Amino acid sequence: MKKQRSTFMFSMLCFGLAFLYIPMVLLIVYSFNHSKIVPIWGGFSFRWYKVLFESPEVWQALLLSLKIAVVNATFATLMGTLAGLALVRFGRFRGRTLFSGMISAPLVMPEVITGLSLLLLFITLSQFIGWPSERGFTTITIAHITFSMAYVAVIIQSRLTGMDESLEEAAQDLGAKPLRVLTDITLPILAPGMLAGWLLAFTLSLDDLVIASFVTGPGSNTLPILIYSRIRLGLRPDINALATIIIVTVAIGVILAGYIMWRQEKQRQRDQQMAAADKLDFDTETTA
Amino acid sequence: MSKDPKLAHRPWLDPEAEPYIKIQGITKRFGDFTAVDNVDLDIYKGELFCWLGGSGCGKSTLLRMLAGFETPTAGKIFIDGVEMNDIPAYERPVNMMFQSYALFPHMTVEKNIAYGLVRDGLDKATIQSKVEEIIDMVELTQFSKRKPHQLSGGQRQRVALARALVKQPKVLLLDEPLGALDKRLREQTQYELMNIQDQLGVTFIVVTHDQEEAMTLSTRIAIMDKGKFIQTGTPTEIYETPDSRFIANFIGSANIFEGHVVESGKEHVLVRSTRDQSLFYIDHGSDLQENAKVWVAIRPEKIKISKSPPEQSDHNQLIGTVDDIGYLGKLSNYKVLLDNGKIIDITYPNQVRPKSGDHLVDWEEKVYLSWDASSAVVLTH
C-alpha cells in the first residue's frame, strides 16, 4: 500500500517537473541543432551561437536592455523607498489613503493600458514642449520606472511595518536628529529590502515586452522586442541560442541566490546556538 | 547636603529639598481618550522611582512624554530646573531603556553602546574608554564584537542598559526593564540594577506592571490608574498604609471588612462589622465621624491562626473552620470560613518543620483568628 502511494507520488512529481521543464530542455537541445530549419535535427553544432555573437543587433539590444534595467532599478528603488517611508512613517497626513491606493494602482493595471497611456503622454509632451523629441531609451526607462516604483514601494512598506519603531526612537533618544536617524538606522535596516526591490525592478524591466513596445521608437530595440520581432517571422535557430543563454544565466543567478540564503540561514542557526550556550554558561556561573 | 543624615536618603521628607524632576498638570489626550489626566509629581535626585499600574493606565505615555516622544496636551515638565516642553527628544538630558531593548541590529555591542557618544561628537579616545568602562561594568567584555542577535535575552538587556547609561543622563527612563526576562534572571537582575543605580547616582524612573519588582527596586512608588496617580509613597507606606481598597488589593492582598465607626479618637478607632457585628479595634487615631461607613483591611500574614482560643477579648477576634490549605514550602496559605460565610485568607510561615508532615492546623478544624491592634488599616473608600 505504502509502496503504491510512493510510486504515485513519484510519478506525479516527474509529471510536474516534465511539464515545467521539457519546453526549456527542448529549446536548449534545438539551440545546438546545425540545421537551419528548427524542428529538423541536423547534428550537434555551435553554429547559431557563432551567428548570434557576430550579430551587432543582438548586442545592441542586450546593451540597451541592461542600460534601461539598471537606470530603472536605481531610480525606482530611490523613489519607491521614499514613497514607502512617507506612507508608513509620516503618520496620518491629508490624502494618505488616496496616495496609498494610487501607488499600488500600477500593480493591477493591465500593461496594455499603462503602455498606451504613457505613449499618449509622450506624444502630447513632445507636441507641446518638444520633449521627448524621439522615443527610445529615455521613454522606455521612464515607463519602466512608473510601474517598478510601485513594486519597490510595496516591499519597503512591508519591511517598515515589520520594523520596530522604537529603534528609531532609541536613536533619537541617544541624540540623533531625524535625518541622522534615517541615514544611521532606518536605511541600513531597510537595505536588504531595498536590494530586493532593486533586483525586482531590474528583472521586471528586463522582462517587459508590452510597455516597452508601446513607448519605443524606431531603432531602439530592447532584447524582448528583438526576440519577439524575429520570432514573428517564424522559428529561428539563433533565437534558440539566445534563449538558452538567458535560461542558463537566470539558472545560475537562482542557484547562487539560493546558496547565499542557505548560508545565511546556517549562520543564523549557529548564532542562536551560540547565544543559548552563553546563557547556560552564565547560569552556571551564578549558581556556583 | 542636608543636616539630618536621614533626610539624605529620603529627600521627599525634607521641606527645603528642591525636586529634580517636576511634573506639573500634565495631561495627554489621544482624540477622545485621556491617557494621562492632570498629573503632578515631584521626583528628587538619586531616586529610583517606580510607576506601577496595569496596562493602559497611562504610565508608558507619561514616560514617553518625559523622553520627548509625545507632546503633552497640557502641563509642564521640568528636569533640573529646565522646562522640557520645547526641547526635542534628541536634546533632552534623559535616556531611555526600551521594553524591546531596541538594540540596533546592524551594529555590534560596542557600536550600539558608543552610538550616543558619537552623536555627542566626543573624540575617539574618550568614546573608547567610556565604552570599555561601561562594558566592563555590565560584564559584557567578551561579547563586545557580537551583534544583538548573537546574544541571549539577559545579555541584550545589559547592552540596552549600558547604552542608555553611557551618556550619563540626568534621568534614566526604564520601560518594563525586566519584563522580557525569565523569573530567575529577573530576580538577579533586579539587584544588579539597584547596585548600578547606587554606584552611578543617576535618577531612575521605572515603569512596571509587576508589583513585586516595584517593591524591591524603588525608593518610592506611584500607583497609576486611569491616567492618575492614586497613591505615592515608599514601598512600606504603600503596603502598610494603603489609602483605598483598590490599593490594598492591588499591592499584595488584603481581607476587607465593611463596617461603621463606633468610636473615633486620637489614639484609636473602633469599627463594628456590618456582617456579623464583630468589633475591630485599631490603635491609630483618625478624624472619622461616628457611624461613618468604612472598610477595615488586614493583610493575610498579620493574622494569627491558632487551635486554642486566645486571651478573652471583645475585639480583633474571629472564629472559623479551615476550608483550604495551600502549602508553598516556606509558608502556607489558609482559607478560613467564618460562621457568617465570609472566607478569610491567612498566610503563615512554616517556621517549625512538622515532624509527621502534618500542617499547623488541619482541614475542617475549628480555629481562632486574632491580630494586633496595630495591624489593621481603616479605609474610607
Side-chain angles (χ1 to χ4, degrees), chain A residues 164 169 173-174 184 278, chain B residues 64 96 100 115 146 149 167:
Chain A
D164 184 4
E169 284 175 350
D173 186 61
L174 292 166
D184 282 359
D278 289 341
Chain B
R64 291 173 58 79
M96 180 149 163
S100 62
Y115 188 78
R146 288 212 189 160
H149 68 273
K167 287 190 73 175

Side-chain angles (χ1 to χ4, degrees), chain A residues 79-251:
Chain A
M79 291 162 72
T81 305
L82 290 178
L85 277 171
L87 280 173
V88 182
R89 281 292 186 264
F90 287 16
R92 315 209 131 267
F93 55 89
R94 258 181 108 83
R96 185 179 173 278
T97 321
L98 184 71
F99 182 48
S100 140
M102 280 172 69
I103 202 98
S104 49
L107 303 180
V108 289
M109 198 68 79
E111 286 183 320
V112 194
I113 298 195
T114 313
L116 185 65
S117 55
L118 281 162
L119 176 63
L120 269 172
L121 172 79
F122 291 136
I123 292 174
T124 320
L125 276 178
S126 73
Q127 261 178 1
F128 281 97
I129 60 167
W131 181 91
S133 52
E134 54 168 27
R135 291 194 291 283
F137 170 77
T138 320
T139 51
I140 300 173
T141 311
I142 292 173
H144 281 182
I145 292 172
T146 54
F147 75 88
S148 308
M149 191 192 118
Y151 286 89
V152 179
V154 170
I155 294 179
I156 295 294
Q157 235 179 312
S158 79
R159 288 278 305 191
L160 271 176
T161 350
M163 181 178 156
D164 184 4
E165 213 168 326
S166 57
L167 288 172
E168 285 153 329
E169 284 175 350
Q172 230 183 82
D173 186 61
L174 292 166
K177 289 179 181 154
L179 196 65
R180 262 284 170 193
V181 177
L182 187 72
T183 56
D184 282 359
I185 309 299
T186 319
L187 290 182
I189 293 173
L190 280 185
M194 288 167 72
L195 183 66
W198 194 93
L199 287 173
L200 183 66
F202 183 82
T203 332
L204 284 171
S205 168
L206 274 188
D207 269 359
D208 173 64
L209 169 67
V210 180
I211 294 176
S213 54
F214 269 101
V215 297
T216 190
S220 294
N221 283 337
T222 62
L223 207 53
I225 293 177
L226 181 86
I227 294 174
Y228 186 69
S229 63
R230 288 199 179 174
I231 290 296
R232 264 200 305 200
L233 309 170
L235 292 174
R236 287 182 49 157
D238 56 337
I239 294 300
N240 286 348
L242 178 63
T244 303
I245 293 174
I246 294 176
I247 290 174
V248 171
T249 317
V250 169

Side-chain angles (χ1 to χ4, degrees), chain A residues 163-178 180-189 267-268 270-287, chain B residues 64 67-69 89-92 94-98 100-107 112 115-117 119-120 139 142-143 146 149-153 155 158 163-164 167 182 184-185 188 192:
Chain A
M163 181 178 156
D164 184 4
E165 213 168 326
S166 57
L167 288 172
E168 285 153 329
E169 284 175 350
Q172 230 183 82
D173 186 61
L174 292 166
K177 289 179 181 154
R180 262 284 170 193
V181 177
L182 187 72
T183 56
D184 282 359
I185 309 299
T186 319
L187 290 182
I189 293 173
Q267 179 68 39
R268 204 178 57 80
R270 260 209 307 277
D271 287 347
Q272 271 175 356
Q273 278 165 1
M274 191 157 82
D278 289 341
K279 205 185 157 208
L280 284 178
D281 288 348
F282 183 67
D283 278 353
T284 46
E285 211 173 276
T286 51
T287 46
Chain B
R64 291 173 58 79
F69 301 134
Y90 50 86
E91 279 170 7
R92 292 196 184 192
V94 301
N95 283 123
M96 180 149 163
M97 190 183 137
F98 290 80
S100 62
Y101 306 148
L103 300 179
F104 307 135
H106 56 296
M107 297 184 191
N112 260 287
Y115 188 78
L117 301 172
R119 289 278 67 79
D120 281 355
E139 294 166 27
Q142 61 189 112
F143 305 112
R146 288 212 189 160
H149 68 273
Q150 297 168 315
L151 300 174
S152 68
Q155 291 162 354
R158 284 181 283 157
R163 188 180 68 180
K167 287 190 73 175
D182 58 51
R184 249 183 69 201
L185 200 55
Q188 177 198 333
E192 275 177 20

Side-chain angles (χ1 to χ4, degrees), chain B residues 66 111 191 245 266-267 281 309 352 354 366-367:
Chain B
L66 243 76
K111 290 259 168 63
Y191 291 99
R245 281 176 292 156
K266 271 192 193 136
E267 302 285 305
Y281 180 87
V352 183
K366 185 177 179 184
V367 286

